Amino acid sequence: MTDGERTDVEHRVAAAFAAAARAVDVTRPAERPAPARRVPPPVGVAATVLLLCGSLLALVTVFGRQTDELRLPPAAVTTTRPPLAVIDPFELHTHCGIRETRIGDRYYEADPVLDDGAGNPPSGWANPSQVGVMTVTGETEAVFTDAAGHTARFRLRPGATAFLRLCE
């Protein structure tokens, strides 16, 4: 059938199909969804800072220091149970000898006290502090070890809210 042999209806149907085919072939850009509501940058930054501070506060409360990292206890610490916490690095104050320390909000006494007899750290220990690993081995015990092989044992002072003695 040629174009001249088509009826008026056939021409209109053919034209409709051609228009439909053109509409299908034409690729329209996809409609963009409405933009998601964005949080203004200062609010987003503030929320992120608060979240990070809350996380760090939880670490300080539980483990004692903001720079603490959990890791396996050092080989020098032998326990029959897994440690309650491992604080690495831990800065032990040694200036007036090793008498006490604070882990989180709990105060511990050295057992035994370690000093040179004149109120200074023992020979070989750094002054004013020694960096190492503090391992909380039980509800009332903790052990400090360092890379130089030093060890200091501590026991909890229940109810303590401050150091017994402030180093001058």
Side-chain angles (χ1 to χ4, degrees), residues 4-111:
E5 298 173 354
R6 287 188 185 169
T7 65
D8 183 47
V9 172
E10 290 173 327
H11 278 288
R12 284 189 286 178
V13 169
F17 278 120
R22 280 192 306 273
V24 170
D25 287 342
V26 174
T27 53
R28 290 190 224 170
E31 287 189 30
R32 299 180 96 194
R37 223 176 102 176
R38 292 187 51 157
V39 176
V43 174
V45 170
T48 302
V49 168
L50 286 175
L51 180 64
L52 289 174
C53 288
S55 299
L56 289 175
L57 181 60
L59 281 175
V60 168
T61 301
V62 175
F63 301 115
R65 294 175 50 85
Q66 290 181 2
T67 59
D68 301 343
E69 247 180 70
L70 288 182
R71 69 179 187 99
L72 295 175
V77 178
T78 55
T79 61
T80 56
R81 324 177 282 242
L84 299 179
V86 178
I87 305 165
D88 181 13
F90 186 87
E91 186 175 357
L92 180 65
H93 298 283
T94 60
H95 183 65
C96 292
I98 300 158
R99 302 183 176 285
E100 55 189 328
T101 193
R102 187 178 82 190
I103 303 171
D105 61 351
R106 301 175 85 185
Y107 291 84
Y108 292 77
E109 290 179 283
D111 186 22

Side-chain angles (χ1 to χ4, degrees), residues 82-158:
L84 299 179
V86 178
I87 305 165
D88 181 13
F90 186 87
E91 186 175 357
L92 180 65
H93 298 283
T94 60
H95 183 65
C96 292
I98 300 158
R99 302 183 176 285
E100 55 189 328
T101 193
R102 187 178 82 190
I103 303 171
D105 61 351
R106 301 175 85 185
Y107 291 84
Y108 292 77
E109 290 179 283
D111 186 22
V113 169
L114 302 173
D115 68 13
D116 68 352
N120 299 306
S123 178
W125 287 74
N127 188 354
S129 63
Q130 184 82 30
V131 176
V133 177
M134 182 65 77
T135 304
V136 180
T137 59
E139 289 296 320
T140 60
E141 304 93 25
V143 178
F144 174 86
T145 57
D146 66 14
H150 300 122
T151 300
R153 298 192 178 279
F154 296 88
R155 62 183 159 77
L156 180 68
R157 283 194 312 122

